[in-house]
Amino acid sequence: MDMIASAFDASGPLAQALPDYKPRAQQIEMAAAIANAIERQTVLIAEAGTGTGKTFAYLVPALLLGGKVIISTGTKTLQDQLFDRDIPSVRKALKVPVKVALLKGRANYVCHYYLDRAQHEGRFMSRSEVHSLQEIAAFIRVTNTGDKAELGSVPETSAVWSQVTSTRDNCLGQDCPFHRDCFVLKARKAALEADIVVINHHLFFADVILRDEGSGELLPACNTVIFDEAHQLPEVATLFFGESVSSAQLVELARDTRVEAAGGAKDFAALPKAADDLERTARELRLAFPPLSGANSRLQSRALQQHLEFLPSLEKLASVLAGFSELLQSQAERSEGLKNCSARTMEIRQRLQRWRDEGDANRVRWAELFAQSVQLNAAPLEIAEIFQRQLASHPKAWIFTSATLAVRDDFRHYQSEMGLADAVTRSWGSPFDFERQALLYVPVNMPEPNSPEYTRAAVAAALPVVMAAGGRAFLLFTSLRAMNEARELVQEHFAEHGIKYSLLVQGDRPKAELLSRFRELGNAVLIGSHSFWEGVDVKGEALSIVVIDRLPFSPPDDPVVAARIEALNKLGRSAFMEYQLPEAIITLKQGAGRLIRDETDRGVLMICDPRLISKGYGRRIWQSLPPMKRTRDLAEVEAFFRAPSSGSG
């Protein structure tokens, strides 16, 4: 352990190599705890407050103690940051010759086969898409990785990407004519040879599912797994251990089959006709529901019974899919593409049958409506048992770390969700001086959050604080509907009073662009929803207020949330205290964590929700936040911004 401690010393390698480095007791203790878990091959849950430097706290022992390490992050952005910036910095400082690989899901890599097919089909809708296709074709001639993140000139949201990347369903595998050039296989080979492999949570669980099915594996064997942003794991795991079938997926299958039939079974007219029938029947399933007037809509399985056309449409789809599968099987050997379409069809049939089977009480079923499609989803009520199997079958060190895993230093909720009852738990508070740097403000005379006038009241209460700070604000909302209403209200107020602060709104531009603009302007007001509650780092005076409209309780009509509440209540337990409240506290801590990002930052956290004061559980919530001074007096907030900043910047 002396080796770990000396790396963080004031005269050690990190301090010598990194200009802004300062030793922090919390960081050194956390690194020692992680090193101990790696050496003993144990499970550690480590919560580290903002400013602890948790990334270096796990990277130093990961690089120094040897062995194979997989580091899993919450997002591809963090994955790229680790691979491109953090690991190279620490590796250079420590002078350790470790090999590092970056591995993403296959949808991130250009597929030679589907790019070739897209170029020959010429089915693109606009000049910009054709231009993007040409840029991608030029890109794969010069790239070593095929990672679409390297090609910034084609937006990540471009429809072209889905045409030139493969999925697990449609990959031709060893039968692909471009198999030797495959970027996915090259990335996996590099991962096998590396000492440190950087992945994301989605890829980790995709690998778990493949192993469970006996279908192979995506990730190499290792000695240590480190999950950064580990608070996201329960939600990601629920998604991955669930299943879905969508009408859009079936339309894509029908389209791919027509293309493959044109090349490999031109003389079999029944197949393209069957593909047309499948596409029409899939679209009819969406027509069993009314058009959407707003955002996507989720319907629990009970609510589906109210739509009289749904079950007959579903039965018809199952029948048409069965006939389609039989025809495809009869032609599958005529080309690799048809063989792949046949395998996809059988997999979708099995998923659809499992969804129609109501016998599994441990799974919750629902439908999600989109403007042009419907998706049938099923997910496990609990993931603890599934995750316990992973820990038992692969003995190694497991490290779970985030700034938000506990409720007042109590990890029981997270341990229960993840099946980590026997894990060692440690918590380190932020090294920042929150009592001096921050103020928690809860306004008076707010209506109840379920009031129709609530968002208007929240914006009215927030605007004087925004004015006192000279803009420099995040206004964070728990729903898109409230966010859009707030946008209109703030725009009206700014126009009426001649206020010139720039207004930035989630969705108007890519997230990274909005953040860059926010930092540059220095006095902007950014209105956002879930995208800006976490993974956002704005240091300095550009961000001095974070306003949160409501306590972020999950909507009780969410199918998974509703099913978990019902299951806990049936057992005589308190779903609110054991599930809803801890989840809300952990989410709130993420949002609150946007405010103070540096030891010189100052700012106000404004939580509009009166339940923080009026409800008995409110005390448990604010005691889980960093130790800020608290006030309900607007004058005290205004005085906070008039006070000298003590070198803030």
Side-chain angles (χ1 to χ4, degrees):
M1 293 304 169
D2 290 344
M3 174 175 59
I4 303 297
S6 62
F8 291 95
D9 192 80
S11 57
L14 291 176
Q16 291 177 28
L18 305 170
D20 298 327
Y21 176 78
K22 293 178 185 176
R24 300 167 214 169
Q26 296 95 329
Q27 187 180 50
I28 297 167
E29 289 177 19
M30 182 179 175
I34 289 171
N36 184 61
I38 291 174
E39 289 191 330
R40 298 189 178 196
Q41 298 235 309
T42 55
V43 182
L44 171 68
I45 304 174
E47 182 180 76
T50 308
T52 302
K54 63 181 171 63
T55 304
F56 282 17
Y58 66 69
L59 283 181
V60 169
L63 269 64
L64 286 178
L65 294 181
K68 185 98 169 185
V69 180
I70 289 177
I71 301 172
S72 181
T73 70
T75 64
K76 286 181 286 188
T77 302
L78 288 173
Q79 203 181 346
D80 289 332
Q81 179 182 309
L82 266 175
F83 182 75
D84 296 330
R85 191 182 74 187
D86 296 335
I87 294 178
S89 297
V90 176
R91 179 173 56 183
K92 185 177 178 182
L94 299 178
K95 297 182 173 64
V96 285
V98 297
K99 291 181 71 174
V100 185
L102 179 69
L103 186 60
K104 299 180 180 179
R106 65 168 60 252
N108 293 279
Y109 300 98
V110 179
C111 171
H112 290 83
Y113 175 79
Y114 284 103
L115 173 61
D116 182 68
R117 198 177 86 170
Q119 288 176 296
H120 284 94
E121 283 179 28
R123 290 186 305 98
F124 291 97
M125 304 296 291
S126 66
R127 280 187 195 170
S128 66
E129 288 185 3
V130 173
H131 180 66
S132 293
L133 184 68
Q134 292 168 345
E135 287 192 87
I136 295 168
F139 167 67
I140 70 156
R141 291 195 288 270
V142 297
T143 177
N144 291 319
T145 67
D147 184 348
K148 67 183 187 182
E150 294 179 8
L151 187 60
S153 58
V154 178
E156 192 173 348
T157 53
S158 171
V160 176
W161 286 120
S162 65
Q163 305 298 315
V164 299
T165 54
S166 68
T167 66
R168 181 185 161 201
D169 286 339
N170 68 18
C171 173
L172 299 182
Q174 292 186 343
D175 297 319
C176 177
F178 299 94
H179 185 256
R180 290 181 60 185
D181 301 316
C182 179
F183 289 122
V184 174
L185 292 182
K186 287 179 181 178
R188 290 179 186 170
K189 184 174 184 291
L192 284 171
E193 296 169 353
D195 303 296
I196 308 280
V197 185
V198 183
I199 66 169
N200 58 56
H201 301 338
H202 290 259
L203 189 62
F204 175 82
F205 286 112
D207 179 69
V208 168
I209 288 169
L210 278 182
R211 289 174 191 260
D212 285 353
E213 291 175 348
S215 305
E217 54 196 49
L218 302 174
L219 305 178
C222 65
N223 307 94
T224 302
V225 178
I226 299 171
F227 293 105
D228 197 349
E229 303 298 329
H231 64 279
Q232 297 177 4
L233 288 173
E235 184 176 344
V236 177
T238 299
L239 168 72
F240 265 86
F241 290 119
E243 288 186 322
S244 66
V245 178
S246 73
S247 59
Q249 187 179 36
L250 290 162
V251 168
E252 183 181 7
L253 173 63
R255 185 199 70 197
D256 289 349
T257 301
R258 280 194 296 267
V259 172
E260 298 297 345
K266 289 181 181 177
D267 57 344
F268 193 67
L271 190 52
K273 181 182 182 302
D276 292 343
D277 290 344
L278 177 63
E279 179 172 345
R280 184 170 56 255
T281 310
R283 294 188 188 281
E284 285 172 359
L285 186 66
R286 174 61 185 87
L287 296 175
F289 303 96
L292 286 179
S293 56
N296 303 345
S297 174
R298 289 182 162 195
L299 298 172
Q300 297 178 45
S301 54
R302 288 180 204 146
L304 290 172
Q305 311 300 325
Q306 298 169 16
H307 297 273
L308 301 180
E309 296 300 316
F310 171 66
L311 285 178
S313 297
L314 187 63
E315 292 298 322
K316 182 180 178 183
L317 177 62
S319 175
V320 169
L321 189 59
F324 180 73
S325 181
E326 288 177 16
L327 280 176
L328 251 178
Q329 279 181 277
S330 73
Q331 305 298 308
E333 297 306 317
R334 298 184 67 175
S335 78
E336 294 306 328
L338 287 170
K339 186 177 177 181
N340 178 261
C341 287
S342 180
R344 285 165 62 188
T345 304
M346 285 190 277
E347 169 64 22
I348 291 172
R349 278 188 72 191
Q350 289 167 2
R351 271 187 257 158
L352 186 62
Q353 183 55 47
R354 285 192 290 268
W355 193 91
R356 294 166 69 205
D357 179 12
E358 300 181 39
D360 191 348
N362 294 316
R363 291 169 73 80
V364 55
R365 301 178 310 139
W366 73 98
E368 187 161 8
L369 302 183
F370 301 89
Q372 303 294 329
S373 64
V374 57
Q375 181 166 297
L376 307 179
N377 303 291
L381 277 176
E382 296 183 358
I383 59 149
E385 187 179 328
I386 299 170
F387 208 86
Q388 278 175 328
R389 289 202 299 269
Q390 302 309 310
L391 270 63
S393 61
H394 304 288
K396 57 175 71 85
W398 297 82
I399 315 295
F400 300 80
T401 184
S402 168
T404 54
L405 293 171
V407 176
R408 286 193 305 183
D409 295 332
D410 183 345
F411 290 87
R412 283 177 296 177
H413 172 67
Y414 188 77
Q415 288 175 279
S416 173
E417 272 196 306
M418 293 293 294
L420 303 174
D422 297 328
V424 175
T425 61
R426 295 288 304 275
S427 180
W428 293 272
S430 170
F432 300 152
D433 184 355
F434 274 89
E435 288 198 18
R436 179 185 62 81
Q437 292 178 251
L439 188 67
L440 172 60
Y441 171 51
V442 182
V444 296
N445 301 322
M446 285 292 295
E448 287 301 306
N450 58 1
S451 160
E453 293 297 308
Y454 184 79
T455 298
R456 181 176 291 276
V459 170
L463 283 168
V465 182
V466 172
M467 300 308 297
R472 306 185 295 153
F474 272 10
L475 274 57
L476 302 181
F477 294 84
T478 52
S479 72
L480 290 171
R481 181 179 296 175
M483 181 192 85
N484 290 325
E485 183 182 349
R487 172 196 197 134
E488 293 179 7
L489 293 167
V490 173
Q491 282 176 330
E492 286 174 13
H493 182 85
F494 281 11
E496 187 178 334
H497 294 86
I499 297 167
K500 301 298 184 185
Y501 302 142
S502 295
L503 187 62
L504 307 175
V505 183
Q506 174 184 321
D508 284 0
R509 296 180 183 181
K511 181 179 176 180
E513 192 178 328
L514 286 174
L515 284 171
S516 176
R517 185 101 177 101
F518 184 86
R519 293 186 186 100
E520 288 168 9
L521 289 165
N523 66 349
V525 175
L526 187 148
I527 299 178
S529 185
H530 298 286
S531 290
F532 287 87
W533 280 69
E534 59 179 283
V536 174
D537 191 7
V538 180
K539 295 178 182 177
E541 292 186 344
L543 178 59
S544 295
I545 314 165
V546 171
V547 178
I548 292 174
D549 71 329
R550 289 174 171 84
L551 297 175
F553 289 105
S554 297
D557 59 348
D558 177 278
V560 179
V561 173
R564 286 177 177 165
I565 290 171
E566 185 179 352
L568 283 168
N569 288 338
K570 275 183 180 176
L571 294 171
R573 294 160 61 183
S574 170
F576 180 78
M577 295 303 291
E578 292 185 42
Y579 172 55
Q580 293 168 277
L581 183 60
E583 289 279 309
I585 290 173
I586 288 170
T587 304
L588 183 67
K589 286 169 69 176
Q590 277 292 331
R594 300 313 100 212
L595 182 65
I596 304 298
R597 307 298 299 176
D598 190 85
E599 59 190 13
T600 59
D601 282 357
R602 292 178 81 248
V604 170
L605 172 64
M606 177 177 177
I607 302 176
C608 301
D609 198 322
R611 292 174 294 183
L612 197 64
I613 306 297
S614 65
K615 300 294 184 183
Y617 57 78
R619 181 182 183 86
R620 190 175 174 195
I621 295 174
W622 59 253
Q623 284 185 338
S624 295
L625 296 172
M628 300 174 249
K629 288 182 180 177
R630 303 187 305 278
T631 186
R632 307 203 69 192
D633 186 352
L634 177 60
E636 195 170 341
V637 175
E638 293 169 334
F640 178 89
F641 286 116
R642 287 196 301 269
S645 63
S646 304
S648 74

